[in-house]
């Protein structure tokens, strides 16, 4: 295992432009800090984890590495997504563990600058807010940036 | 840190370990000059490297130690003190080396005390060598000589800043031994050392553990990739690819083997510090101990060696402290004064067995029992039902110690449970044997390596899992077409396997899997054994057996207790590896301290009885102790025949009479459950309508019913049940014996003693139905224990033919106890038993075993007589008091 652990950027204090990869889950667009993204791949086969956290779709063999697949749709409590083979996944390393986030589709890389940041609207679902760091305007869209730390922490 | 320094640390640690071992050996056999030469060489090397690296503190200690050892090499006889001093010096060097390892420099400190001691010893040894004094004198000399240099040197040492020592400051220290008359050993030894060790060094290189670990990881990945490739090409007939692939495959296997071997280390490494440990223990405990080690060349994965170090040390401490007796005790017991601790390692069947045996006093089972009773783990009656092995298992329970006092060495009761869980955590097992007065032996069975383990790939509800093979005992087919059937008892599954009843869990259920995906039909039960407990796991099939590389679960899944890790199989798919211990826990078997629980719940609970509940005819549910039932069989319609107005069936090649219980209307077109009851030659099948349940309940038969075929009614879990009388059915097929319910008012305590479980089980409900409280004992010994313990007993009912004792002898023994002097003892005579009148004079009464009426009448009479006697004596004491 080569040392791929990167210093996690401190998310709450982003002050400059951040580049995010947009991902789509259930028609909604989210941003993922690009420096967290290691690889994008299609899941060939998936082994379920009985008794595991419900958001964990299963384990995936990614070139000899065992990767924990997390469904973004389930994580955001959108639906009871069942991850099928051939699903699109984004490989992310978090605290020395390999994860992949299963999404519906991947968009483009957007540069979001500080000026477009907006305060978090107070009436948003707190459960979802837990998984996001900030909100940006990008054209006509409002893009929530996902908090990788929160995404891959499962309460026991 | 400097590469050179790092090498030095590794090397020095090895040298120190070796020197300490050799020294202990030398102390035992001072005539072996090669040993002391070796020690000298080792210390000399350390000294040399230290001065080269500028580690002055180390150099000075090593120098002083070398000087002293030089005297030994010159032929001075070692004393215990001299060896202790050198060992202390080695410890000091070790401490400093550790600090060097941590900080990269020598720590501040003062070694004048150590050096002074070494010098004093050197002087003393030198004196003894020159023969100037009688053996006792050197001690005096040493005492006289030693103090002066000490203050002198300390006064000069303080300015010394540890790493950079001005050499002048230490000169006096080094000079002190030089003043002692002796030949110059150093150059000579250097010349001598040159030749010997060189030969060995040329063949080895030092490799960092990390490097090996990395290789191991890579090889593991390679093995997996190879497996994937093989899987892909399995169905293709492409010879161009096949043969290079074959070659790749075999090379991979060889490589895996080679790397595994590189990780292997001889158990010798584990043994290295034992001689010293044992020496120290011997001194501490004031015992003489010989350590014997065997199988030092047995190889084991280095990771395992590290894991085993603590458990082994612990067990040796135990053996030395508790196991071995003091020399005086040993002599009194006719044993050689010196005790022996034998540690041996051997390789068998893919596992390593390490045993630690001592020839000490062995475990005192009575002491263990007493301890268990006093700390409330179990009651004496409960323990009486356990075999020796089962009682020894308590040793591995947390917090257990029989040591009278907590010594420095052991006795705090933390330990054996930790040892056990350590061993089990690496897939090993530990067992113990002990003979009172002869010794104790612990055996640990350990897998060769942790990295790669064979596993069964099992399928449940369409998902695959790996089950580590080390815990698997066997796989048993269950279902309609195989001999084994899983019963559902109280919502829990059990498998009757040969003589055992094995608790079973359904993997799909435990894992909460979708059972619709499950293939119907034949299933398998994989029987596993964890910590001495067996249980079964139902799976749909065993798909494969593969060597798997165990990878630990990621942190987000680590809380799942039923899995230990995951792995990638040959086809590239990921499977989770089940944790046998976790599975056992999910069934209620705990990893340690399990006995405590089981004991309370099952076997030891004196009042509880396993009952089979069934429906037969109209009326309430009927019950029977399971122990009376030899088998339960489902009998298909065709097998039951009418003959001579009776129902019969062929059972185990014999004609077995069947009796419908209650007034079951026999319907020849349906199948019936049949409870097969055997008593001696007599076998009868009870035809019932339906088995309701098998449960464990305390049974309090409350009233003796007048009806034939039932002993009485009882309440089981709030439900009234009828306790059926097996004997009446047995008799109905043999001869008819009239039966009359007995009635007796008092709740007298009756002790029922019989070797035969069958008799106990049918007599105790009958006696309790007659209004007595019954304590059952399986042997004379057990019975006497009950009495000695002070339990109140009003009467004893015993078989006249107990194992090892006649009923008459038991009666006499019982009456020897002050609390039971007047107790009536009724002997039960077997049908074919003859008895000698003279030989049964201690018995109050003898009745035929089958004649329950006489038994009840006899008891009743005896109690009436007792009551009269009590009244009389009460009257007497009253009149006395009045007078």
């Amino acid at each position: 295992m080569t040392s791929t652990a990167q210093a996690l950027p401190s998310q709450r204090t982003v002050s400059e432009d951040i580049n995010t990869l947009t991902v789509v889950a259930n028609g909604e667009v989210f941003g993922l800090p690009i420096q967290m993204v290691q690889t994008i791949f299609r899941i060939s086969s998936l082994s379920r984890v009985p008794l595991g956290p419900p958001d964990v779709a299963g384990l995936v063999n990614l070139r000899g590495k065992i990767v924990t697949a997390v469904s973004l749709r389930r994580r955001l409590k959108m639906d009871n997504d069942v991850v099928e083979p051939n699903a699109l996944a984004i490989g992310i390393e978090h605290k020395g563990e390999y994860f992949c986030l299963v999404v519906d589709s991947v968009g483009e890389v957007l540069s979001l600058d500080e000026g477009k940041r907006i305060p978090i609207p107070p009436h948003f679902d707190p459960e979802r807010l837990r998984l996001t760091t900030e909100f940006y305007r990008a054209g006509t869209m409002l893009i929530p940036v996902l908090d990788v730390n929160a995404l891959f922490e499962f309460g026991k | 840190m400097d590469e050179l320094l790092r090498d030095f640390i590794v090397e020095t640690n090895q040298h120190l370990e070796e020197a300490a071992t050799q020294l202990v050996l030398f102390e035992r056999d001072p005539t072996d000059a090669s040993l002391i030469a070796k020690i000298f060489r080792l210390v000399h090397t350390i000294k040399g490297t230290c001065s080269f690296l500028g580690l002055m503190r180390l150099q000075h200690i090593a120098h002083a130690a070398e000087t002293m050892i030089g005297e030994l090499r010159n032929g001075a006889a070692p004393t215990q003190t001299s060896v202790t001093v050198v060992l202390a010096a080695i410890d000091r060097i070790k401490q400093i080396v550790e600090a060097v390892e941590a900080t990269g420099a020598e720590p501040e400190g003062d070694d004048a005390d150590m050096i002074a001691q070494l010098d004093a010893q050197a002087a003393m040894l030198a004196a003894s060598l020159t023969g100037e004094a009688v053996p006792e004198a050197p001690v005096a000399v040493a005492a006289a000589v030693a103090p002066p240099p000490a203050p002198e040197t300390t006064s000069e040492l303080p300015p010394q800043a540890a790493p950079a020592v001005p050499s002048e400051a230490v000169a006096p220290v080094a000079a002190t031994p030089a003043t002692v008359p002796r030949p110059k050993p150093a150059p000579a030894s250097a010349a001598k050392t040159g030749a010997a060790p060189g030969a060995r060094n040329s063949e080895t290189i030092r490799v960092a553990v990390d490097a090996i670990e990395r290789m191991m990881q890579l090889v593991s990945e390679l093995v997996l990739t190879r497996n994937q490739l093989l899987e892909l090409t399995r169905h293709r007939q492409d010879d161009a690819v096949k043969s290079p692939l074959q070659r790749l495959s075999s090379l991979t296997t060889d490589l895996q083997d080679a790397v595994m071997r590189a990780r292997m280390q001889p158990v010798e490494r584990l043994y290295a510090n034992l001689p010293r440990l044992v020496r120290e223990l011997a001194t501490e405990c004031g015992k003489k101990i010989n350590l014997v080690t065997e199988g030092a060349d047995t190889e084991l994965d280095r990771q395992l060696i590290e894991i085993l170090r603590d458990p082994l040390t612990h067990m040796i401490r135990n053996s030395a402290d508790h196991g071995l007796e003091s020399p005086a005790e040993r002599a009194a017991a006719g044993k050689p004064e010196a005790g022996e601790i034998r540690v041996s390692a051997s390789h068998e069947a893919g596992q390593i067995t390490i045993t630690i045996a001592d020839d000490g006093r062995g475990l005192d089972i009575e002491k263990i029992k007493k301890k268990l009773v006093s700390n409330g783990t179990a009651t004496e009656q409960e323990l009486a039902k356990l075999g020796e092995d089962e009682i020894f298992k308590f040793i591995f329970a947390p917090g257990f110690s029989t040591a009278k006092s907590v010594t420095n060495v052991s006795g705090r009761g933390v330990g054996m449970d930790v040892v056990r869980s350590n061993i089990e955590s690496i897939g090993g097992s530990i067992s113990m044997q002990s003979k009172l007065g002869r010794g104790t032996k612990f055996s640990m069975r350990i897998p060769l390596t942790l990295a790669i383990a064979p596993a069964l790939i099992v399928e449940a509800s369409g998902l695959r899992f790996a089950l580590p093979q080390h815990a698997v005992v066997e796989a048993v087919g269950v279902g309609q077409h195989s001999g084994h059937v899983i019963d559902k008892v109280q919502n829990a599954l059990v498998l009757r396997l040969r003589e055992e009843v094995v608790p079973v869990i359904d993997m799909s259920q435990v894992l909460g899997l979708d059972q619709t995906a499950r293939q119907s039909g034949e299933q398998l039960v994989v029987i596993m054994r964890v910590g001495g407990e067996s249980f079964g796991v139902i799976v749909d099939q065993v798909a494969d057996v593969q060597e798997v590389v165990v990878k630990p679960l990621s942190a987000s899944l680590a809380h799942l207790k039923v899995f230990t890790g995951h792995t990638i199989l040959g086809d590239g798919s990921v499977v989770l590896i089940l944790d046998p211990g976790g599975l056992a826990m999910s069934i209620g078997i705990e990893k340690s301290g399990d006995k405590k629980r089981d004991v309370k719940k099952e076997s030891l609970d004196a009042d509880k009885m396993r009952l089979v509940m069934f429906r037969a005819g109209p009326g309430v549910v009927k019950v029977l102790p399971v122990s009376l039932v030899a088998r339960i069989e489902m009998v298909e319609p065709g097998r039951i025949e009418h003959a001579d107005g009776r129902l019969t069936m062929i059972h185990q090649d014999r004609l077995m009479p069947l009796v419908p219980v209650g007034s079951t209307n026999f319907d020849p077109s349906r199948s019936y459950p049949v409870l097969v009851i055997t008593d001696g030659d007599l076998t009868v099948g009870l035809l019932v309508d339906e088995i309701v349940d098998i449960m464990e309940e305390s049974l309090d038969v409350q009233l003796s019913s007048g009806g034939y075929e039932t002993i009485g009614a009882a309440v089981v879990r709030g439900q009234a049940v009828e306790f059926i009388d097996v004997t009446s059915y047995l008799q109905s097929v043999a001869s008819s014996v009239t039966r009359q319910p007995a009635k007796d008012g008092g709740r007298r305590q009756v002790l029922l003693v019989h070797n035969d479980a069958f008799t106990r089980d049918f007599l105790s409900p009958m006696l309790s139905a007659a209004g007595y409280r019954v304590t059952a004992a399986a042997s004379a010994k057990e019975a006497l224990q009950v009495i000695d313990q002070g339990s109140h007993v009003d009467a004893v009912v015993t078989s006249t033919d107990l194992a090892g004792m006649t009923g008459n002898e038991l009666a006499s023994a019982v009456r020897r106890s002050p609390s039971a002097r007047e107790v009536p003892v009724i002997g039960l005579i077997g049908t074919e038993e003859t008895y000698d009148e003279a030989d049964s004079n201690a018995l109050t009464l003898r009745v035929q075993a089958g004649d329950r009426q006489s038994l009840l009448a006899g008891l009743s009479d005896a109690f009436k007589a007792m009551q009269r006697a009590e009244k009389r004596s009460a009257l007497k004491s009253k009149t006395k008091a009045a007078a």
Side-chain angles (χ1 to χ4, degrees), chain B residues 5 50 82 165 291 368 371 380-381 391 406 420 431 450 514 563 595 630 764 768 784 880:
Chain B
L5 198 58
C50 290
S82 59
V165 192
L291 174 74
I368 298 175
K371 181 82 187 181
E380 220 153 306
Q381 291 95 323
I391 289 171
V406 172
R420 173 174 143 176
S431 62
L450 291 181
D514 178 11
F563 302 115
K595 271 289 154 197
S764 31
S768 67
L784 290 172
K880 239 184 214 165

Side-chain angles (χ1 to χ4, degrees), chain B residues 171-188:
Chain B
V173 185
T176 322
T179 59
V180 179
R182 66 184 177 102
K184 302 166 279 175

Side-chain angles (χ1 to χ4, degrees), chain A residues 1 47 50-51 59 61 64 97 156, chain B residues 214 511 554-556 560 572 574:
Chain A
M1 256 150 268
S47 303
L51 312 177
L59 299 172
N61 173 8
E97 279 183 66
K156 300 284 143 71
Chain B
R214 172 99 183 109
L511 300 180
S554 58
S556 50
L560 301 178
V574 180

Side-chain angles (χ1 to χ4, degrees), chain A residues 51-95:
Chain A
L51 312 177
D55 303 340
V56 170
L59 299 172
V60 175
N61 173 8
L62 175 60
R63 295 191 286 276
K65 249 185 290 183
I66 297 176
V67 176
T68 308
V70 176
S71 158
L72 183 58
R73 278 157 67 166
R74 274 184 177 246
R75 196 79 183 109
L76 293 168
K77 307 277 177 275
M78 289 170 161
D79 57 14
N80 275 341
D81 177 34
V82 175
V83 175
E84 301 289 344
N86 217 29
L88 200 59
I90 298 161
I92 296 168
E93 194 182 323
H94 166 65
K95 288 193 183 163

